[in-house]
Amino acid sequence: MKYTFYPGCVSRGGAPELYTSTMAVAEKLGLELEEIVGAACTGAGVLQEKGIKLGDTLNARTFAMAERMGHTTIVNICSTGQGVMAQANYRLLNTPGYLEEINEILKEEGLEYQGRVVIKHLAWVLVEEIGLDALRPLIVRPLTELHIAPFYGCYILRPSWALGIDENPGREQYLEQIIEACGGEPVNFPGRTKCCGFPILMINERNSVAMVGNHTLSAKDHGADAMVTPCPLCHLNLDGYQPKASSQKGTKINMPILHLPQLVGMAMGLSDRELGMHRHVVSTKDVMAKASVRA
Amino acid sequence: MQATLSVRRQDPESQQPSSWMQEYTVEVPEHYTVLDALIKVREEVDPSLAIRCSCRAAICGSCAVRVNGRARLACNTKLTNVTPEHGVVVVEPMGNQPVVKDLVVDLSVFWNKIRAVAPYLQPEGPEPEEEYIASNESMLLLTEVMGCIMCGACVSDCTALEVDSNFLGPAALAKAFRFTEDPRDGADADRLQSLNEYSGVWDCTRCMMCVEVCPKGVAPMDRIMALRERVMDAGMTNTVGYRHVAAFAESVEHAGWLDETMLAVKSWGMFNVPKLIAALPVGLRALKRGKLPMPAPFHKKRPGHENVARIFKRLEGQK
């Protein structure tokens, strides 16, 4: 299966293990991910504070590039990219005259967005297009010993109307379904759809770190061995700032934070090196041992 | 049909102040709402169950509760829409506000925040001889935000309030937006100044929870984002929030994508030495694991970045 691929800024910056683990898992799945060369940052919701139209134009430019490549499903591996693109596409397709106005700007680059793009996170592609029945035979190391807490965060679920949750209510449970397909036990905990704190990390670090502490401790209290997230920004905060959260809470947390493709890759028998586990701040050694993945 | 409700009970003033879940099963017609079922429970099964309601028509905003973990008006939530496969609907009091008893919370938290944004018109200049006139166009922008029924659902599920009770929160900030945008109000500068401070517009996490749970389409977070634009446009630039947006935009305009390392440095302030020193352990941990992206001038530009820059130029100043 061939898809247009939007890796986003963070998988090529602060979380390179997301990129490499995605590629390793894609190869096993037979997914051909063709990257959109020259696509801009989605704006991540921050640029949209400066002006919604600016963000929408940059995203429409990316959509037009995808259309030109011929395969109109864009695969995201970052929830924030997924959410921001979906919101932009929703406005472009549902605001009378807006698409024409944006296309006027894109014309200068010889681009035109025709409104045919579908934006899907890798989690959605796994469940809706590849199918969990096709994934199961690839699981050579079922994660039977592992209790995994799914951390959805915000952008892959809200706003629900832009993300098609009403039409596909299962999207609120895909992480649990994937964990189960990998042989693991999903852990339900109160923070699963809340904010990780990353968007205010630089503005109000105390609050941001408090969110990290609350979610990781809550997952731990509910029996999780690790958390899994579809968003690299959630990973950066929950993993990178966990030492600070530990200090703030006055207790050792030690909760490994896996990227979604790392979880799937573990179950597929990929090595910790291939999955970039050595790049985590919170050690994944215990999780790897439980999953019996060779070091 | 049979409705099973698992209700969080609590009486903080009793001998047993901690909460517990109590299950009730009642026979109800299919069209029943969560509120209808709760009233039936109170009237026929357990008169000690405390609930608050009035209009039963999604107008008064009295009956907001959490249904299956999400804030909703009990009166416009049909049971059939929220009954999961296992058949038990979980009803709990709203979050971020202290419980008075069972499903009734103390709304003083909510009202104190609303009061803090001076939720009334403060006209300037001499009083007009007749009424203050506002054009239809100017009020159109406010129709949705004026639809707020003060139910507190957004405050209940606000993820920023959960960790910081000082945050003004979505309802109060949406109310503040309603007055800053009103052409009859003359206190914009003071309002924006105060909203630009700690616990104001920059402490929102942009999690969209308030947008999702609001039963009236007020979209509080969108108003908060609009207020961020207003404070920036008003020249209030000496905040991390402003520098974060400016550095983000500068990076994308220049290279087509984000320079994460410089974004952090510029947001905190290039010469904010104490902060930069405090961030060193995090930076070193990232560096050790190959997770500290090379900052400018080593940050590579994306192919076609000049087209991105052109879009920035073309849309400069446009909202």
Side-chain angles (χ1 to χ4, degrees):
Chain A
M1 280 187 268
K2 201 167 182 177
Y3 290 96
T4 303
F5 179 45
Y6 183 82
C9 299
V10 182
S11 82
R12 284 172 308 190
E17 71 283 2
L18 172 60
Y19 190 94
T20 48
S21 58
T22 299
M23 288 308 171
V25 167
E27 196 183 327
K28 290 258 180 196
L29 290 168
L31 278 182
E32 205 178 319
L33 300 176
E34 193 181 344
E35 206 168 316
I36 314 174
V37 179
C41 170
T42 62
V46 180
L47 210 52
Q48 283 73 5
E49 290 174 28
K50 199 174 159 66
I52 295 260
K53 194 172 170 185
L54 173 62
D56 287 349
T57 309
L58 294 182
N59 285 304
R61 176 176 173 270
T62 303
F63 303 158
M65 288 171 155
E67 280 180 341
R68 201 164 55 179
M69 287 165 68
H71 10 273
T72 50
T73 298
I74 298 180
V75 178
N76 266 294
I77 49 173
C78 168
S79 295
T80 305
Q82 170 67 31
V84 172
M85 278 189 175
Q87 289 173 48
N89 205 28
Y90 185 86
R91 282 188 290 269
L92 289 163
L93 302 184
N94 292 285
T95 315
Y98 193 38
L99 182 59
E100 291 74 23
E101 199 183 316
I102 301 286
N103 272 333
E104 265 307 299
I105 304 167
L106 298 183
K107 211 163 70 180
E108 292 175 29
E109 197 182 336
L111 288 169
E112 183 190 6
Y113 177 42
Q114 294 167 8
R116 292 186 289 121
V117 152
V118 176
I119 304 137
K120 288 198 170 189
H121 190 279
L122 179 66
W124 300 359
V125 173
L126 267 174
V127 178
E128 294 168 5
E129 310 221 353
I130 296 167
L132 297 177
D133 286 339
L135 173 65
R136 282 190 193 95
L138 302 173
I139 305 301
V140 296
R141 224 171 248 142
L143 311 175
T144 43
E145 293 296 309
L146 284 175
H147 297 85
I148 311 277
F151 187 82
Y152 286 82
C154 310
Y155 280 81
I156 200 167
L157 295 175
R158 295 182 292 273
S160 53
W161 51 90
L163 288 154
I165 306 292
D166 290 343
E167 299 83 23
N168 302 282
R171 286 178 178 175
E172 291 181 319
Q173 293 288 328
Y174 282 178
L175 291 183
E176 281 86 344
Q177 292 174 22
I178 294 169
I179 292 166
E180 276 173 348
C182 291
E185 179 81 33
V187 174
N188 192 11
F189 73 113
R192 63 189 271 285
T193 65
K194 290 181 182 173
C195 175
C196 68
F198 187 84
I200 53 165
L201 176 61
M202 288 162 208
I203 295 162
N204 191 330
E205 187 177 300
R206 193 198 69 84
N207 287 1
S208 176
V209 169
M211 289 179 190
V212 173
N214 286 350
H215 301 323
T216 48
L217 278 174
S218 165
K220 191 176 181 175
D221 289 345
H222 284 75
D225 298 303
M227 292 164 80
V228 66
T229 177
C231 182
L233 303 182
C234 295
H235 167 87
L236 285 180
N237 218 33
L238 296 172
D239 179 59
Y241 279 79
Q242 211 179 107
K244 280 204 170 184
S246 285
S247 308
Q248 195 187 68
K249 296 285 181 191
T251 179
K252 188 110 182 99
I253 302 174
N254 199 22
M255 175 59 61
I257 312 295
L258 305 174
H259 297 286
L260 178 65
Q262 286 181 322
L263 176 92
V264 177
M266 266 167 70
M268 286 175 161
L270 294 169
S271 73
D272 61 346
R273 208 74 202 170
E274 285 171 289
L275 298 172
M277 295 295 194
H278 57 291
R279 294 193 187 277
H280 288 226
V281 169
V282 179
S283 170
T284 56
K285 228 163 94 182
D286 291 348
V287 174
M288 300 296 281
K290 272 194 173 184
S292 332
V293 175
R294 284 188 300 273
Chain B
M1 66 177 222
Q2 223 175 37
T4 304
L5 305 176
S6 177
V7 181
R8 187 172 292 281
R9 306 287 313 270
Q10 190 176 7
D11 186 354
E13 290 178 5
S14 72
Q15 298 289 314
Q16 283 185 315
S18 54
S19 71
W20 74 97
M21 301 304 289
Q22 187 161 350
E23 210 164 281
Y24 302 101
T25 301
V26 282
E27 198 61 35
V28 298
E30 281 219 359
H31 67 265
Y32 255 37
T33 64
V34 172
L35 181 61
D36 294 331
L38 287 169
I39 290 172
K40 190 171 168 87
V41 167
R42 190 183 61 182
E43 290 181 351
E44 297 177 11
V45 183
D46 186 351
S48 74
L49 177 65
I51 50 179
R52 175 161 47 208
C53 63
S54 181
C55 76
R56 306 185 193 191
I59 293 167
C60 74
S62 302
C63 67
V65 289
R66 272 187 175 158
V67 179
N68 298 335
R70 185 199 133 141
R72 295 173 184 273
L73 292 180
C75 71
N76 75 345
T77 303
K78 278 187 76 173
L79 271 171
T80 47
N81 288 344
V82 291
T83 304
E85 270 175 30
H86 53 70
V88 181
V89 179
V90 178
V91 187
E92 296 170 285
M94 285 197 284
N96 291 328
Q97 293 149 100
V99 172
V100 178
K101 186 171 184 293
D102 299 336
L103 300 177
V104 179
V105 298
D106 179 359
L107 284 168
S108 58
V109 170
F110 176 90
W111 290 111
N112 286 341
K113 290 181 186 303
I114 296 282
R115 274 189 208 103
V117 300
Y120 40 82
L121 282 175
Q122 298 177 53
E124 60 179 357
E127 280 187 29
E129 286 178 11
E130 294 177 344
E131 68 270 30
Y132 288 98
I133 305 285
S135 69
N136 284 343
E137 292 73 29
S138 63
M139 298 310 279
L140 268 178
L141 176 69
L142 299 179
T143 49
E144 282 167 334
V145 77
M146 286 195 297
C148 175
I149 56 172
M150 310 282 190
C151 65
C154 59
V155 166
S156 161
D157 287 13
C158 173
T159 58
L161 270 173
E162 210 171 82
V163 295
D164 188 353
S165 58
N166 291 314
F167 178 46
L168 277 169
L173 288 168
K175 186 59 74 184
F177 171 84
R178 180 251 171 277
F179 287 100
T180 56
E181 296 307 300
D182 193 310
R184 298 164 296 178
D185 192 82
D188 286 6
D190 291 344
R191 288 182 192 280
L192 292 176
Q193 188 65 55
S194 108
L195 298 172
N196 193 41
E197 287 168 9
Y198 161 70
S199 80
V201 294
W202 296 108
D203 281 337
C204 167
T205 64
R206 291 201 314 264
C207 74
M208 292 171 279
M209 201 68 97
C210 57
V211 178
E212 200 70 28
V213 301
C214 174
K216 292 289 167 182
V218 170
M221 189 202 85
D222 294 349
R223 316 304 164 188
I224 298 170
M225 294 308 114
L227 284 171
R228 285 187 182 177
E229 266 185 52
R230 302 295 181 276
V231 296
M232 290 190 285
D233 290 348
M236 297 172 188
T237 56
N238 193 22
T239 58
V240 178
Y242 171 81
R243 289 196 297 270
H244 186 241
V245 176
F248 197 111
E250 191 186 313
S251 166
V252 178
E253 180 173 8
H254 178 72
W257 66 305
L258 196 56
D259 180 345
E260 294 164 84
T261 306
M262 280 315 280
L263 175 67
V265 172
K266 286 184 176 175
S267 297
W268 291 321
M270 296 284 275
F271 303 105
N272 187 351
V273 177
K275 180 65 211 176
L276 296 175
I277 290 173
L280 263 182
V282 173
L284 289 174
R285 270 198 297 269
L287 183 66
K288 194 177 154 197
R289 290 161 179 86
K291 294 177 86 160
L292 190 73
M294 290 299 278
F298 306 104
H299 181 70
K300 283 185 186 161
K301 292 179 178 179
R302 301 286 293 154
H305 63 87
E306 61 284 351
N307 288 312
V308 174
R310 183 186 49 74
I311 290 171
F312 268 80
K313 286 274 172 302
R314 169 128 182 206
L315 290 175
E316 209 165 9
Q318 284 192 42
K319 298 300 175 193

